[in-house]
């Protein structure tokens, strides 16, 4: 049966379900660069290069294997600019008997796909995405009947199911979780590993020229692009991480350092999310490195928890709750996103550092996203939709299924506690404990009030005061609310006014 097999820009895996039964004698693979996808948010220029260059590389690799690939470029004449439009044109060109596609990573695109069969008059087979440990049905089964969801419970179920770092029915080492050993500040004498970056080849340089011309006003530096865009380079990036950074990943997972955005992190999320790496092989490598004594248990477990635990858990929450999840705003946050998120212009050293490296590399590590830019947005009461759009735009790894739950659920508490049990709200003291940012900052992290006091301090207390009716009863927030109970009304009014004056001054 002549089949047209559509592969989307984050489905760049040879083992994707839509290619499983391909017959090279009859079938055509369709890949399309479309304006709808390049513009649904103002993507970082490096994210655009990553996706389009990796698409072009996969198309070339499939063609080398004897597969017919119909590849539509962004600047091809006649490009309609949408998946639906390009599919209709390809049906005219190839007259397939059916269309096969793997389910997408985004609700918006799934809604579009479900209309294709009726609109295009050709049978459309939408297949499960088998690249996750837990498919959507598996997560639904786990979630059924639970009143609250907690990543740790899901993670343990997945450890048991996969056998990863398990000794029979028990976790290797006797503990499920070494999180308490993942919170060290980076000592001055620990060397930061030099990380492998991948220079642009001719295909990537072509895409860079296209992006420079068409998307000049989009956020982000282009010239520092060095992400892997092929399966081979992604595997080399995985080797590099296991050898150089994983051994200390566990210890310094939460640490931050000025001028060093990568530290001991994997830098693998862009390759994982577009399909160049499979989470199973990545976890298997971490387990093997533990098995040979190359990395300690807190590193292997900490890393596997991120992929087998968090990555799968947020995807499950996304598909369980969409499309309503995108509308959540439990704390009724209404402030517009300040311009500093785009221009990085602020005397707050932590914010300037994180936004600066975001612009340079389309990357920040988790604690930078959660406890600096995320914490600011939470405390300031930024509209969840606006900050979610920012995260979706500025990171090379940002796709709706993973970005949205991390932003609405983890950073903004917009889902009211569905994903996480308490808001990750913190004053400047947390940033000072975990980084070296505060030393050279224009603000004084130790000061609670006054024009030169760290803005996170007044913002933190103002956040608690503003949301007391929603948060004070949460047992995990008992400590700060006990402290607030001793404050006079005058003191509370004063700190709220100070935080608001600061935020209003940002424009
Ligand atoms: P490491 O810290 O080395 O972790 C290893 C791997 O674990 C990552 O590659 C990633 O695949 C996975 N992982 C770790 N934490 C998470 C998590 N919370 N959710 C899902 N997977 C996780 N991650 C994305 O992949 N895309 C996003 O758009 C995204 N947006 C985020 C927005 C906010 C507000 C926050 C707080 C986090 C977001 N994350 C997102 C999660 C996390 O920050 C990134 O996965 C991580 O920083 C990627 O860098 P790394 O590969 O060096 O990860
Ligand atoms: C992110 C992205 C971009 C920028 N461009 C394209 C594209 O031109 N063609 C394509 O097939 N996919 C692209 N993508 C990835 C899609 O946005 C992604 O597949 C959907 O959001 C579903 O997850
Ligand atoms: Fe950030 Fe406050 Fe530290 Fe400055 S003093 S770097 S604003 S936490």
């Amino acid at each position: 049966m002549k089949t047209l097999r559509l592969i989307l820009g984050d489905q760049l895996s040879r083992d994707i379900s839509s290619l499983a039964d391909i017959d090279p004698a009859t079938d055509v693979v369709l890949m399309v660069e479309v304006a709808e996808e390049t513009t649904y948010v103002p993507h970082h220029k490096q994210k655009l290069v990553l996706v389009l260059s990796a698409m072009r590389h996969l198309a070339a690799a499939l063609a080398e294997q004897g597969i017919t690939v119909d590849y539509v470029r962004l600047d091809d004449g006649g490009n309609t600019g949408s998946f639906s439009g390009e599919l209709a044109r390809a049906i005219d060109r190839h007259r397939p008997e059916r269309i096969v596609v793997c389910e997408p990573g985004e609700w918006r695109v799934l809604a579009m796909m479900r209309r294709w069969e009726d609109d295009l008059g050709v049978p459309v087979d939408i297949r499960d995405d088998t690249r996750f440990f837990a498919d959507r049905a598996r997560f639904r089964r786990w979630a059924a009947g639970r009143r609250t969801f907690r990543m740790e419970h899901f993670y343990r179920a997945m450890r048991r199911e996969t056998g990863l770092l398990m000794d029979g029915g028990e976790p290797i080492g006797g503990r499920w979780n070494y999180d308490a050993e993942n919170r060290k500040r980076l000592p001055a004498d620990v060397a930061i590993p030099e990380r492998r970056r991948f220079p642009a080849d001719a295909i990537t340089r072509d895409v860079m020229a296209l992006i420079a011309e068409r998307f000049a006003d989009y956020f982000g530096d282009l010239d520092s692009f060095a992400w892997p865009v092929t399966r081979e380079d992604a595997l080399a990036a995985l080797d590099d991480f296991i050898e150089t950074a994983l051994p200390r990943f566990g210890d310094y997972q939460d640490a931050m350092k000025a001028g060093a955005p990568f530290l001991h992190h994997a830098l693998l999320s862009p390759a994982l999310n577009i399909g160049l790496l499979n989470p199973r092989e990545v976890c298997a490598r971490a387990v093997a490195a533990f098995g040979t004594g190359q990395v300690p248990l807190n590193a292997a477990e900490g890393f596997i928890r991120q992929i087998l635990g968090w990555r799968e858990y947020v995807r499950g929450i996304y598909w369980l709750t969409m499309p309503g999840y995108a509308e959540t705003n439990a704390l009724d946050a209404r402030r517009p996103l300040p311009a500093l998120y785009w221009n990085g212009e602020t005397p707050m050293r932590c914010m300037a550092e994180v936004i600066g490296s975001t612009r340079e590399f389309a990357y920040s590590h988790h604690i930078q996203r959660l406890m600096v830019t995320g914490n600011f947005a939470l405390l300031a009461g930024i509209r969840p939709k606006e900050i979610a759009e920012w995260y979706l735009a500025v990171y090379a790894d940002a796709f709706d299924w993973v970005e949205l739950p991390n932003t609405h659920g983890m950073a903004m508490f917009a889902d009211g506690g569905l994903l996480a049990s308490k808001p990750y709200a913190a004053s400047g003291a947390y940033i000072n404990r975990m980084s070296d940012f505060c030393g050279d900052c224009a603000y004084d992290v130790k000061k609670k009030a006054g024009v030169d006091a760290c803005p996170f301090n007044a913002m933190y207390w103002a956040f608690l005061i503003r949301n007391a009716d929603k948060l004070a009863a949460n047992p995990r927030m008992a400590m700060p609310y006990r402290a607030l109970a001793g404050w006079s009304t005058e003191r509370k009014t004063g700190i709220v006014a100070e935080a608001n004056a600061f935020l209003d001054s940002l424009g």
Side-chain angles (χ1 to χ4, degrees):
M1 191 194 292
K2 181 168 182 179
T3 303
L4 186 62
R5 297 172 185 271
L6 176 65
I7 297 188
L8 307 184
D10 55 355
Q11 299 181 340
L12 308 179
S13 321
R14 184 60 186 84
D15 61 353
I16 192 88
S17 55
S18 50
L19 291 182
D21 49 350
I22 189 165
D23 180 352
T26 53
D27 298 352
V28 174
V29 167
L30 177 67
M31 299 177 75
V32 296
E33 299 176 1
V34 287
E36 197 169 47
E37 299 308 306
T38 55
T39 60
Y40 64 79
V41 285
H43 302 281
H44 193 299
K45 294 191 197 78
Q46 291 193 30
K47 181 179 170 193
L48 292 170
V49 173
L50 171 80
V51 173
L52 300 195
S53 174
M55 284 176 69
R56 291 183 185 191
H57 278 94
L58 180 71
L62 292 176
E64 255 178 44
Q65 293 168 26
I67 293 171
T68 306
V69 182
D70 182 355
Y71 193 96
V72 179
R73 291 179 177 225
L74 205 55
D75 50 1
D76 279 348
N79 189 329
T80 55
S82 72
F83 284 142
S84 304
E86 284 314 294
L87 203 49
R89 288 206 313 146
I91 289 169
D92 278 350
R93 284 196 297 275
H94 303 290
R95 301 276 161 208
E97 290 159 86
R98 64 168 183 163
I99 293 171
V100 169
V101 65
C102 171
E103 65 184 346
E106 199 170 335
W107 176 266
R108 171 186 66 92
V109 181
L110 183 62
M112 196 189 294
M113 265 184 196
R114 285 179 171 154
R115 292 194 300 267
W116 285 345
E117 189 157 303
D118 284 345
D119 291 355
L120 302 170
V122 180
V124 178
D125 177 4
I126 304 175
R127 295 184 176 172
D128 284 355
D129 193 338
T130 53
R131 298 172 300 171
F132 291 87
F133 287 97
D135 61 20
R136 287 162 55 184
R138 172 69 188 94
F139 190 85
R140 266 198 310 276
R141 279 201 308 281
W142 175 81
R146 284 173 196 267
R147 272 193 312 116
T148 54
F149 302 147
R150 290 297 161 252
M151 195 288 291
E152 186 63 27
H153 302 154
F154 172 74
Y155 170 56
R156 290 180 190 187
M158 294 308 290
R159 286 271 297 278
R160 286 201 178 91
E161 206 160 294
T162 58
L164 286 171
L165 291 181
M166 294 294 288
D167 183 2
E170 295 303 313
I172 285 182
R175 273 162 59 194
W176 289 101
N177 185 316
Y178 292 81
D179 201 18
E181 286 159 43
N182 297 155
R183 294 180 189 144
K184 296 184 187 139
R185 192 187 157 100
L186 190 78
D189 61 348
V190 168
I192 298 164
E194 190 70 35
R195 305 306 291 279
R196 182 147 177 205
R197 310 275 289 152
F198 298 85
D201 65 3
I203 293 179
T204 301
R205 283 197 300 274
D206 264 4
V207 177
M208 287 170 82
L210 176 76
I211 301 307
E213 188 203 320
R214 287 213 170 190
F215 300 95
D217 58 341
Y218 275 21
F219 178 80
D221 297 348
L222 187 55
D223 293 341
S224 42
F225 182 90
W227 293 104
V229 290
T230 62
R231 166 92 180 134
E232 292 69 31
D233 282 354
L235 285 170
L238 174 59
D239 285 346
D240 177 58
F241 166 63
I242 300 275
E243 269 164 42
T244 65
L246 181 58
R248 303 206 116 154
F249 173 84
D251 293 341
Y252 305 121
Q253 205 173 325
D254 289 2
M256 298 180 280
K257 185 174 168 57
F262 306 142
L263 296 181
H264 298 82
H265 288 271
L267 316 182
L268 293 177
S269 48
L272 274 165
N273 293 354
I274 62 172
L276 301 181
L277 291 175
N278 186 300
R280 289 188 186 83
E281 70 190 341
V282 171
C283 289
R285 286 292 304 277
V287 170
F290 168 68
T292 58
Q294 201 183 341
V295 309
L297 184 55
N298 77 324
E301 188 283 319
F303 179 67
I304 282 170
R305 183 171 1 112
Q306 305 312 313
I307 297 192
L308 180 65
W310 280 111
R311 187 169 187 268
E312 300 278 328
Y313 177 70
V314 300
R315 179 174 184 264
I317 299 262
Y318 179 84
W319 286 111
L320 196 67
T321 58
M322 280 299 277
Y325 202 81
E327 307 304 319
T328 53
N329 187 2
L331 299 181
D332 198 22
R334 288 157 186 262
R335 195 174 276 277
L337 189 72
L340 71 89
Y341 273 81
W342 294 108
N343 62 30
E345 286 168 18
T346 168
M348 299 175 80
R349 177 100 190 278
C350 51
M351 291 289 282
E353 272 287 333
V354 174
I355 294 164
S357 56
T358 299
R359 186 191 298 115
E360 191 173 356
F361 299 114
Y363 178 85
S364 294
H365 75 60
H366 186 66
I367 290 300
Q368 294 174 319
R369 295 187 210 198
L370 183 62
M371 298 311 293
V372 179
T373 46
N375 186 30
F376 185 101
L378 172 73
L379 301 186
I382 307 296
R383 276 188 214 117
K385 258 186 191 297
E386 283 195 41
I387 185 69
E389 180 171 314
W390 184 80
Y391 280 110
L392 189 58
V394 302
Y395 291 113
D397 59 21
F399 294 88
D400 209 40
W401 65 268
V402 52
E403 176 277 324
L404 188 70
N406 268 297
T407 304
H408 274 230
M410 203 183 303
M412 298 301 288
F413 206 68
D415 66 3
L418 181 76
L419 183 139
S421 55
K422 75 175 191 73
Y424 285 90
S427 68
Y430 175 87
I431 295 174
N432 192 32
R433 190 160 64 247
M434 295 313 302
S435 78
D436 63 354
F437 295 153
C438 301
D440 276 333
C441 183
Y443 294 108
D444 184 343
V445 72
K446 298 261 159 38
K447 277 197 168 168
K448 305 270 176 278
V451 280
D452 62 341
C454 168
F456 274 110
N457 294 340
M459 280 164 59
Y460 174 71
W461 293 109
F463 167 81
L464 292 174
I465 294 164
R466 188 170 74 240
N467 292 298
D469 58 332
K470 300 185 179 89
L471 300 177
N474 182 328
R476 297 197 62 197
M477 301 296 283
M479 220 155 71
Y481 278 106
R482 255 198 311 275
L484 259 184
W487 287 30
S488 67
T489 307
E490 206 179 15
R491 189 170 169 204
K492 286 185 192 169
T493 316
I495 209 91
V496 169
E498 188 163 326
N500 285 341
F502 168 74
L503 288 167
D504 291 345
S505 75
L506 297 178

